[in-house]
C-alpha cells in the first residue's frame, strides 16, 4: 500500500483516490497557498499537478482510469488524467463525495444535507437516487461507494448526531430500483475490497467484514486492521481508498 503524511500532503477536508488498477494515486496538495489535484504513478517518486484544479476536493476515478472527477468551486467536474481543461458537470456545493460506476453513471452527494444523486458522466440533469427519511432523523447521505451487483453503499448522517459519524449507519441502495437496505452500524465510511469484504472506518481505524455478513446492522465478527488513518469523524471522512487489484492507499493521522 501507499502511505502519505496527512499533515504535509493532504488537505484534511479532502480525500485521496486510487485508480481502479492501482497504478495511480490522486491527491489534493497545497500549491502556492491553494489546494490542487496532483497525480502520482505508484512506480514514480514525483507527483504531477493538474492545471486549473484550484480548490479541488474529493477526487475519484472513472472505471477505465482515464478521467478523474472532483469537486471545486461549487461544481462537480472531471479532467483527463493526461491533463487539459476540466469540464464542469453539475452544481455541488458542500459536497460529500462521489463514485463513478462501470455503466458511466456518477453517484454523488452534492451537499451536507442532501440525499444522493445520479448523473451521466457526459453531464446533464442530476436525478435523485435517495431521499432523506425524516422519520429516521436523516440529514445526510454521503461518501457513496460501489458494491457488487449494482448497489451503492453510503453513510447516513442523522440530526441527533450531526457532527459524529463513528457510530453512523451504512446503507445500500440499488441503482436499478432505488430499494434501500441496511448494511451495518458503527462506521463513518465504507469501501469494498476485491474479495468482497467491506472495509470500513471507525475512530481512525479500518475494519473488515465479509459483505455477506453485513446484514441488518451488525458488525459482529469484523476484523480489526490498520490504525492511525487520517480523517475527521465530524464529517465521516477517512482518508483511504482501495483499488480493484487490492492496493490500499491511506493518509496517516498526524
Amino acid at each position: 500500500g501507499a502511505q502519505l503524511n496527512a499533515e504535509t500532503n493532504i488537505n484534511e477536508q479532502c480525500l485521496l483516490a486510487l485508480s481502479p488498477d492501482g497504478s495511480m494515486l490522486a491527491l489534493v496538495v497545497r500549491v502556492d497557498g491553494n489546494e490542487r489535484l496532483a497525480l502520482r504513478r505508484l512506480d514514480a517518486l514525483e507527483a504531477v499537478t493538474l492545471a486549473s484544479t484550484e480548490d479541488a476536493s474529493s477526487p475519484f476515478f472513472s472505471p477505465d482510469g482515464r478521467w478523474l472527477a472532483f469537486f471545486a468551486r461549487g461544481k462537480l467536474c472531471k479532467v483527463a488524467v493526461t491533463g487539459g481543461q476540466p469540464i464542469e458537470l453539475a452544481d455541488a456545493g458542500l459536497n460529500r463525495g462521489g463514485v463513478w460506476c462501470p455503466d458511466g453513471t456518477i453517484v454523488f452527494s452534492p451537499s451536507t444535507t442532501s440525499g444522493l444523486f445520479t448523473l451521466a458522466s457526459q453531464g446533464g440533469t442530476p436525478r435523485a437516487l435517495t431521499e432523506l427519511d425524516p422519520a429516521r432523523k436523516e440529514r445526510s447521505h454521503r461518501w457513496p461507494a460501489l458494491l457488487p451487483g449494482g448497489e451503492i453503499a453510503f453513510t447516513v448522517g442523522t440530526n441527533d448526531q450531526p457532527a459524529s459519524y463513528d457510530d453512523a449507519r451504512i446503507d445500500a441502495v440499488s441503482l436499478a430500483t432505488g430499494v434501500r437496505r441496511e448494511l451495518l452500524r458503527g462506521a463513518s465510511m465504507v469501501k469494498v475490497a476485491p474479495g468482497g469484504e467491506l472495509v470500513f472506518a471507525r475512530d481512525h481505524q479500518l475494519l473488515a467484514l465479509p459483505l455477506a455478513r453485513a446484514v441488518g446492522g451488525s458488525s459482529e465478527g469484523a476484523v480489526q486492521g490498520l490504525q492511525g488513518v487520517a480523517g475527521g469523524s465530524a464529517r465521516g471522512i477517512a482518508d483511504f481508498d482501495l483499488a480493484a487489484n487490492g492496493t490500499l492507499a491511506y493518509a496517516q493521522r498526524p
Side-chain angles (χ1 to χ4, degrees):
Q3 178 181 314
L4 302 163
N5 185 300
E7 191 169 19
T8 58
N9 290 331
I10 297 290
N11 182 296
E12 207 240 346
Q13 297 192 31
C14 303
L15 295 175
L16 52 83
L18 275 171
S19 62
D21 66 0
S23 68
M24 284 185 293
L25 178 69
L27 61 153
V28 177
V29 296
R30 182 174 285 271
V31 179
D32 298 328
N34 197 290
E35 283 73 39
R36 300 185 187 186
L37 285 180
L39 279 175
R40 183 191 141 198
R41 294 196 65 85
L42 294 191
D43 58 4
L45 294 176
E46 296 296 322
V48 177
T49 304
L50 295 177
S52 302
T53 58
E54 291 83 3
D55 300 321
S57 68
S58 304
F60 54 98
F61 281 90
S62 63
D64 61 9
R66 296 172 60 186
W67 291 88
L68 189 63
F70 64 99
F71 299 88
R73 299 180 297 278
K75 300 288 184 181
L76 169 63
C77 307
K78 68 177 181 179
V79 65
V81 297
T82 52
Q85 189 67 23
I87 300 168
E88 292 184 357
L89 297 175
D91 291 332
L94 293 171
N95 83 85
R96 286 299 180 259
V99 64
W100 197 320
C101 304
D103 67 354
T105 301
I106 290 176
V107 179
F108 69 107
S109 178
S111 80
T112 58
T113 55
S114 74
L116 300 178
F117 284 77
T118 62
L119 178 73
S121 57
Q122 294 82 13
T125 303
R127 300 180 60 180
L129 175 63
T130 64
E131 293 185 1
L132 302 177
D133 184 352
R136 303 188 77 179
K137 302 180 181 179
E138 293 179 3
R139 69 178 294 272
S140 174
H141 294 166
R142 55 183 61 193
W143 312 128
L146 186 65
L147 294 178
E151 285 186 306
I152 299 293
F154 61 95
T155 305
V156 180
T158 55
N159 287 314
D160 55 341
Q161 290 186 307
S164 177
Y165 283 85
D166 280 336
D167 294 318
R169 191 175 86 241
I170 306 294
D171 279 6
V173 59
S174 167
L175 276 172
T177 66
V179 173
R180 281 173 61 180
R181 64 189 179 100
E182 186 174 317
L183 288 178
L184 58 89
R185 291 175 182 263
S188 60
M189 177 187 284
V190 69
K191 306 276 186 180
V192 181
E197 285 189 312
L198 287 177
V199 178
F200 61 95
R202 178 193 296 155
D203 191 23
H204 301 284
Q205 182 178 20
L206 299 185
L207 301 94
L209 181 73
L211 181 56
R213 292 175 59 183
V215 179
S218 174
S219 59
E220 184 178 352
V223 177
Q224 296 184 353
L226 195 64
Q227 297 192 33
V229 177
S233 62
R235 295 174 303 280
I237 292 174
D239 282 321
F240 79 102
D241 200 9
L242 283 162
N245 70 346
T247 300
L248 167 71
Y250 70 100
Q252 189 173 37
R253 188 181 183 190

